[in-house]
Amino acid sequence: MKIMVAIKRVVDYAVKIRVKSDKSGVETQNVKMSMNPFCEIALEEALRIKEAGMASEVVAVTMGLKQCVDTLRTGLAMGADRGIHVETSGPLYPLSVAKLLRALVEVEKPGLLILGKQAIDDDCNQTGQMVAGLLNWPQGTFASKVVLDKEKQIVTVDREVDGGLETLCLDMPAVITTDLRLNQPRYATLPNIMKAKSKAIKKFTPEDLNVEIKSDIEEVQVTEPPKRKAGVILSSVDELIDKLKNEAHVI
Amino acid sequence: MERLRLRATGSFFRYCSNRSLFDRRLNINSVNSIHNSTSGYAHGFGKNCRDFHFFSDNHKWNVQTCFGFVRYQGETFRDSTEKGLLEKTRRFQYRGFGSLAAKVQRNPSFSTLNSDDISYFKEILGEKGVIEDEEWLATANTDWMHKYKGSSKLLLQPRSTEEVSQILKYCNSRCLAVVPQGGNTGLVGGSVPVFDEVIVNMSLMNNIISFDKVSGILVCEGGCILENLITFLDNQGFIMPLDLGAKGSCQIGGNVSTNAGGLRLVRYGSLHGNVLGLEVVLADGNVIDMLGTLRKDNTGYDLKHLFIGSEGSLGIVSKVSILTPPKLFSVNVAFLACSDYFSCQKLLMEAKRKLGEILSAFEFLDSKSLDLVLNHLDGVRNPLPPTLHKFYILIETTGSDEPYDRQKLEGFLLHAMEAGLISDGALAQDINQASSFWRIREGIPEALMKAGAVYKYDLSLPVEKMYDLVEEMRTRLSDSANVVGYGHLGDGNLHLNISTAQYDDGILTQIEPFVYEWTSKHRGSISAEHGLGLMKANEIFYSKPTATVSLMASIKKMLDPKGILNPYKVLPHSLSS
Ligand SMILES: Cc1cc2nc3c(=O)[nH]c(=O)nc-3n(C[C@H](O)[C@H](O)[C@H](O)COP(=O)(O)OP(=O)(O)OC[C@H]3O[C@@H](n4cnc5c(N)ncnc54)[C@H](O)[C@@H]3O)c2cc1C
């Protein structure tokens, strides 16, 4: 069985985000880009399943600009067997990504498609669900535990819900989206980085896959959150009470 | 808009997987919180400056996730609290210090404080600048390691150079001894009183005076906290030329006064090169304006250098002008394993040659240091498969072209691997991974504190000899202690640390004077970057000839005839009274 994992290149989550002065988006020039953390978790899970002898191959897939290949290389250095890059130039919204993924699933025929539950740049949290819908596959979203039964061709997924855990049993093929606690991703070691150099990356265009990239969404503007006001240090309890009464009007 | 607000997920993730940072925020007021700082990485990326907000709707869920995540890793999140650590070390350390304190006598020519003195100080500083609060004083009297403890009854907080001048003028006339204090993170007992010296605390002098974006020259007051300067500069697109694990607390005046080295000296050089000017207040209150902002200025003796590294014994640094390099965004960090010390040296030589202009840190630790960190710090994991390696190296590169830098570093590492210099290694793929590599290196002092008693030696040695000392020490002490070696290999700076269950004079006599003699024999320095302070004032002769030391003593005498500035420190007691 093959596992396909979708990975996205995003602004590194430790980067202090700056909004472009014309409010057209977030500054990405000269900014550290990395693999979306939830995608890292998705890939780690796929690798563990493979290492447990329950999958034969892990295929990492990414979509977007030319530079996304760097992220794919990271995925290969972590242990993915090969990569697929669908090269696009403009913005990509979840529905387009889901359609591209469906097309790739039809090419590759994986038994599992694993994605991060969301990407930390747009936080859409839609792609996994949409692609499951398009494929008409069962979905286990926000997985915090994944157990595969190869013989029965089912996968059991624990998901975190408010106040507890929900356990789902899915028939394969299935879509899984990963939550934070599922696993701790591995580092890219030098021997694996070396091996990754010779792994294949296949390129597609949306046209190759017969997917038209369009969107019903227009991004109007991006603005920064309001700046927090500096606090004040008061010298006495009386002053505090006075402020709470007369300025904040809470007592 | 959404994009921004929801970045919170990202930061939570970071705090979850790097417990130290999370912890640090929780313990924001803890005196010891600084040792959790992952400066190495933040320096490069300037990310630690980002505020930690709880975002309304997700608040509860996220916190649970953080805790849960950590617990999931098999860590117990709260049982090794800072407090426990402090108490443990306090108990150990006082005993260790007992013998040292007994050797120092209070200089009888110093006066003792009276109520007139206090009234005078209140007149010049106002009530708020004169602190007699016991709890506050207890903290200010005790050093970071809880090894040195004075008994000062008074702490003064000047707000301006003028106030510092008035304080010193008065203390000088009254013959009241003074200890200048910055962030109190010094590691040699220099920043706390030995007896009842008046503490002059610089933390209110924390204004940035000017910043020139063209030249990168920053002028600020001496009490500015290093991390605040880093944050300020980050917004301007610059970085400080120095960075150290204590950056959350240490002050630029303290850095200058100790000539702090730190993690990026290999790239940006020492403060003797980066500090362009100083304003200092002498013991008699005279303000010496050497606050130049010129890179080149050969008019007479360059006196500022006397104050860089003088540990508060010649004057109080009230203002600093410093050259800051532009911030480059492409930072890469690798954590490597070497099977022997010779390979570490060769790797250093190769790195200097092949990584050249992008090399920004070259740090090393031995396997015992790594074990300490893995055993004593929560949430730290070994980046490499757990095969036994004797040495680990952290390499950081900083440059302006990400693909180029990365290719260069990868190429270098793969080549070094093929040549057998490194036996394994990992390359950080994102900032969180980079910071977790740094956490290992920077967490060693903290791990040592948690392990029990520790004898610390900060030595400069020829790189090829450096590790011999660690091995000889191991043989000398055999099973009685855990001897670890780590440090700034790129600068030939070894941190030799000897960790024992408790302080023991028997062990101390095995270590000293052997360690100093050994260092001296190999023409090393017994203080690479921490200074002499109280700990090593009497050991200066191991690294400096008599004639040099007596010239130092004459300079001290000339600038501070009554010896009121930081007495008992730096110079041998035989010469300073
Ligand atoms: C976790 C940790 C990591 C560290 N890492 C490093 C490292 O990598 N490299 C390194 O070099 N050091 C390191 N140190 C040592 C220490 O942090 C530095 O020496 C630092 O520069 C001290 O600054 P401070 O403001 O805390 O000074 P303090 O500790 O308050 O004072 C240090 C000395 O300077 C004097 N002083 C302070 N401020 C002034 C002033 N304005 N004018 C005159 N004299 C003054 C004091 O009297 C004292 O003698 C580390 C310490 C810790 C706790």
Side-chain angles (χ1 to χ4, degrees):
Chain A
M1 181 192 72
K2 247 189 248 180
I3 304 178
M4 187 185 273
V5 182
I7 59 183
K8 182 174 185 184
R9 174 183 156 96
V10 296
V11 173
D12 191 292
Y13 62 77
V15 163
K16 187 173 174 188
I17 297 293
R18 285 176 220 275
V19 172
K20 286 186 191 160
S21 50
D22 64 1
K23 298 189 178 175
S24 64
V26 162
E27 191 56 74
T28 52
Q29 281 277 310
N30 281 359
V31 169
K32 174 87 176 167
M33 305 293 282
S34 303
M35 193 189 296
N36 176 39
F38 292 103
C39 300
E40 261 186 300
I41 294 170
L43 180 55
E44 176 66 33
E45 196 61 20
L47 295 172
R48 289 186 189 188
I49 293 171
K50 186 189 156 190
E51 283 159 1
M54 291 193 281
S56 53
E57 193 182 30
V58 174
V59 184
V61 174
T62 192
M63 284 149 207
L65 305 175
K66 208 170 82 207
Q67 299 91 310
C68 292
V69 172
D70 297 343
T71 312
L72 214 45
R73 286 271 169 227
T74 297
L76 298 177
M78 282 174 70
D81 297 292
R82 59 192 170 86
I84 294 177
H85 177 204
V86 182
E87 196 171 328
T88 60
S89 49
L92 272 180
Y93 292 94
L95 187 57
S96 308
V97 176
K99 286 178 180 169
L100 290 169
L101 280 172
R102 174 181 59 178
L104 288 172
V105 162
E106 278 156 11
V107 176
E108 293 286 341
K109 310 224 178 325
L112 273 180
L113 172 61
I114 312 184
L115 307 86
K117 71 169 181 183
Q118 72 198 76
I120 60 162
D121 52 357
D122 53 28
D123 274 331
C124 284
N125 183 356
Q126 295 167 358
T127 309
Q129 294 87 329
M130 285 179 171
V131 72
L134 292 173
L135 287 165
N136 205 15
W137 284 7
Q139 54 181 301
T141 55
F142 295 51
S144 61
K145 191 177 171 195
V146 173
V147 178
L148 210 93
D149 188 327
K150 209 176 160 190
E151 265 164 37
K152 291 192 196 142
Q153 281 291 299
I154 53 166
V155 57
T156 312
V157 173
D158 282 359
R159 12 182 3 247
E160 281 167 14
V161 291
D162 273 348
L165 284 180
E166 182 182 63
T167 304
L168 300 178
C169 191
L170 317 174
D171 289 330
M172 297 211 292
V175 173
I176 294 173
T177 74
T178 57
D179 211 339
L180 197 63
R181 256 186 284 190
L182 180 59
N183 60 46
Q184 194 174 22
R186 67 195 62 194
Y187 295 110
T189 63
L190 292 180
N192 287 336
I193 291 173
M194 216 177 320
K195 273 185 222 151
K197 299 234 176 264
S198 55
K199 290 180 181 171
I201 293 181
K202 196 167 176 186
K203 280 210 187 261
F204 285 99
T205 60
E207 296 80 64
D208 295 338
L209 299 168
N210 284 323
V211 176
E212 192 192 345
I213 306 293
K214 57 169 191 192
S215 174
D216 303 334
I217 300 168
E218 186 197 346
E219 206 167 74
V220 182
Q221 67 168 22
V222 176
T223 55
E224 280 187 50
K227 291 226 166 26
R228 277 199 310 175
K229 282 203 205 126
V232 282
I233 296 175
L234 305 178
S235 55
S236 69
V237 176
D238 290 342
E239 202 182 333
L240 174 67
I241 291 173
D242 177 66
K243 293 226 181 244
L244 290 175
K245 248 192 202 139
N246 301 319
E247 277 183 34
H249 305 292
V250 290
I251 54 170
Chain B
M1 217 182 319
E2 276 306 273
R3 272 161 88 96
L4 290 177
R5 194 177 65 82
L6 291 168
R7 289 294 290 185
T9 325
S11 29
F12 278 115
F13 189 86
R14 180 157 75 91
Y15 286 101
C16 295
S17 49
N18 189 340
R19 194 208 138 227
S20 64
L21 294 177
F22 187 64
D23 211 8
R24 175 167 155 226
R25 305 293 162 153
L26 293 177
N27 290 325
I28 205 96
N29 293 319
S30 140
V31 243
N32 263 41
S33 62
I34 44 130
H35 57 229
N36 283 324
S37 169
T38 52
S39 70
Y41 122 82
H43 182 91
F45 299 95
K47 300 310 152 343
N48 275 3
C49 330
R50 189 153 143 203
D51 273 6
F52 182 49
H53 297 295
F54 285 96
F55 282 79
S56 50
D57 44 337
N58 274 6
H59 173 160
K60 217 166 160 189
W61 178 87
N62 275 318
V63 175
Q64 284 169 350
T65 308
C66 292
F67 282 81
F69 189 83
V70 173
R71 220 176 289 126
Y72 181 76
Q73 300 306 320
E75 313 288 352
T76 34
F77 193 74
R78 293 199 159 267
D79 54 11
S80 59
T81 58
E82 294 291 316
K83 207 160 155 237
L85 162 68
L86 290 191
E87 263 151 30
K88 200 162 146 204
T89 39
R90 198 171 282 149
R91 209 166 54 237
F92 289 135
Q93 303 277 359
Y94 288 164
R95 262 199 60 200
F97 177 54
S99 53
L100 222 176
K103 289 188 206 147
V104 193
Q105 297 288 320
R106 185 181 182 280
N107 183 340
S109 64
F110 294 140
S111 321
T112 42
L113 275 175
N114 60 36
S115 56
D116 289 348
D117 299 329
I118 309 280
S119 317
Y120 179 77
F121 290 128
K122 285 186 176 164
E123 229 167 82
I124 56 173
L125 303 174
E127 293 278 338
K128 277 189 185 170
V130 179
I131 283 116
E132 296 174 276
D133 176 72
E134 270 182 33
E135 236 172 86
W136 193 328
L137 280 165
T139 311
N141 268 310
T142 314
D143 79 319
W144 184 80
M145 300 181 293
H146 291 261
K147 187 169 182 176
Y148 300 94
K149 192 170 163 48
S151 47
S152 177
K153 296 273 178 286
L154 182 66
L155 182 145
L156 301 177
Q157 287 199 304
R159 292 175 172 273
S160 65
T161 304
E162 181 52 29
E163 288 184 359
V164 177
S165 164
Q166 283 176 302
I167 293 171
L168 290 189
K169 190 169 176 195
Y170 181 82
C171 288
N172 196 46
S173 69
R174 276 274 293 128
C175 217
L176 284 168
V178 166
V179 51
Q181 188 174 75
N184 196 10
T185 67
L187 297 174
V188 288
S191 53
V192 290
V194 182
F195 299 100
D196 57 347
E197 297 92 285
V198 174
I199 302 170
V200 177
N201 177 292
M202 298 297 288
S203 44
L204 295 184
M205 290 187 59
N206 58 0
N207 291 308
I208 288 170
I209 299 165
S210 66
F211 180 67
D212 178 346
K213 267 196 140 178
V214 178
S215 59
I217 295 167
L218 172 76
V219 182
C220 66
E221 289 183 322
C224 290
I225 289 177
L226 180 59
E227 189 165 41
N228 294 347
L229 294 176
I230 293 173
T231 309
F232 168 81
L233 288 173
D234 187 56
N235 288 325
Q236 312 285 328
F238 287 79
I239 60 169
M240 284 298 278
L242 81 159
D243 192 1
L244 38 133
K247 71 172 170 187
S249 298
C250 69
Q251 301 174 0
I252 188 66
N255 299 147
V256 168
S257 301
T258 55
N259 187 21
L263 304 162
R264 298 221 169 61
L265 190 130
V266 71
R267 171 73 165 264
Y268 302 108
S270 93
L271 287 176
H272 281 292
N274 293 307
V275 171
L276 299 181
L278 294 177
E279 177 191 82
V280 297
V281 184
L282 299 183
D284 62 4
N286 260 319
V287 179
I288 306 296
D289 179 357
M290 304 168 284
L291 200 62
T293 51
L294 306 168
R295 287 206 71 174
K296 302 175 87 171
D297 177 17
N298 285 354
T299 45
Y301 308 137
D302 200 343
L303 293 178
K304 66 169 183 281
H305 289 294
L306 262 184
F307 296 88
I308 300 175
S310 67
E311 300 180 58
S313 66
L314 297 181
I316 293 191
V317 175
S318 48
K319 293 192 183 109
V320 177
S321 137
I322 189 164
L323 185 65
T324 69
K327 179 183 167 179
L328 305 179
F329 93 101
S330 156
V331 179
N332 284 297
V333 182
F335 189 84
L336 312 166
C338 293
S339 54
D340 55 56
Y341 184 67
F342 184 70
S343 304
C344 299
Q345 284 176 60
K346 267 203 92 178
L347 192 67
L348 172 63
M349 274 165 56
E350 292 282 302
K352 283 187 173 170
R353 212 168 284 270
K354 304 243 170 77
L355 295 174
E357 79 288 355
I358 61 169
L359 183 66
S360 56
F362 195 104
E363 297 287 312
F364 101 111
L365 48 143
D366 60 13
S367 59
K368 289 192 184 282
S369 307
L370 180 66
D371 285 347
L372 266 174
V373 173
L374 296 177
N375 291 335
H376 291 281
L377 302 187
D378 295 335
V380 175
R381 61 173 168 148
N382 188 350
L384 304 174
T387 326
L388 211 62
H389 303 284
K390 261 190 98 178
F391 295 96
Y392 298 89
I393 302 275
L394 185 152
I395 290 184
E396 184 195 74
T397 64
T398 306
S400 54
D401 186 335
E402 173 82 26
Y404 168 83
D405 292 354
R406 189 138 188 124
Q407 202 181 5
K408 189 162 169 165
L409 178 61
E410 266 184 28
F412 166 74
L413 294 175
L414 298 183
H415 188 261
M417 190 134 182
E418 276 159 12
L421 293 184
I422 34 189
S423 31
D424 204 348
L427 189 55
Q429 301 295 311
D430 56 37
I431 296 175
N432 180 55
Q433 292 188 0
S435 81
S436 61
F437 292 178
W438 269 115
R439 171 75 180 138
I440 294 172
R441 165 60 188 86
E442 289 192 279
I444 304 170
E446 186 190 344
L448 279 160
M449 292 275 285
K450 295 197 180 187
V454 57
Y455 300 91
K456 280 183 170 297
Y457 300 91
D458 156 46
L459 312 163
S460 262
L461 287 166
V463 173
E464 70 269 22
K465 291 277 178 341
M466 208 160 109
Y467 203 74
D468 293 352
L469 175 58
V470 181
E471 280 169 345
E472 280 191 41
M473 192 58 87
R474 241 171 231 153
T475 321
R476 268 178 90 81
L477 297 175
S478 63
D479 293 341
S480 59
N482 184 19
V483 180
V484 309
Y486 63 94
H488 316 295
L489 194 71
D491 318 323
N493 182 181
L494 171 72
H495 290 312
L496 169 69
N497 282 245
I498 295 147
S499 167
T500 56
Q502 58 211 29
Y503 282 102
D504 178 336
D505 288 345
I507 289 186
L508 187 61
T509 53
Q510 294 257 47
I511 305 171
E512 292 182 26
F514 170 78
V515 62
Y516 297 132
E517 285 166 356
W518 199 99
T519 306
S520 177
K521 193 171 87 194
H522 293 93
R523 299 192 61 83
S525 167
I526 59 159
S527 168
E529 59 174 14
H530 293 165
L532 295 167
L534 178 62
M535 179 191 178
K536 291 178 278 191
N538 284 332
E539 322 296 347
I540 190 170
F541 295 106
Y542 284 107
S543 290
K544 290 280 152 50
T546 321
T548 311
V549 178
S550 41
L551 180 57
M552 290 183 194
S554 333
I555 291 172
K556 166 77 177 171
K557 194 94 199 156
M558 185 180 73
L559 295 181
D560 179 17
K562 295 184 179 171
I564 60 157
L565 274 174
N566 221 0
Y568 325 106
K569 323 273 175 65
V570 191
L571 293 176
H573 302 149
S574 56
L575 287 182
S576 54
S577 42

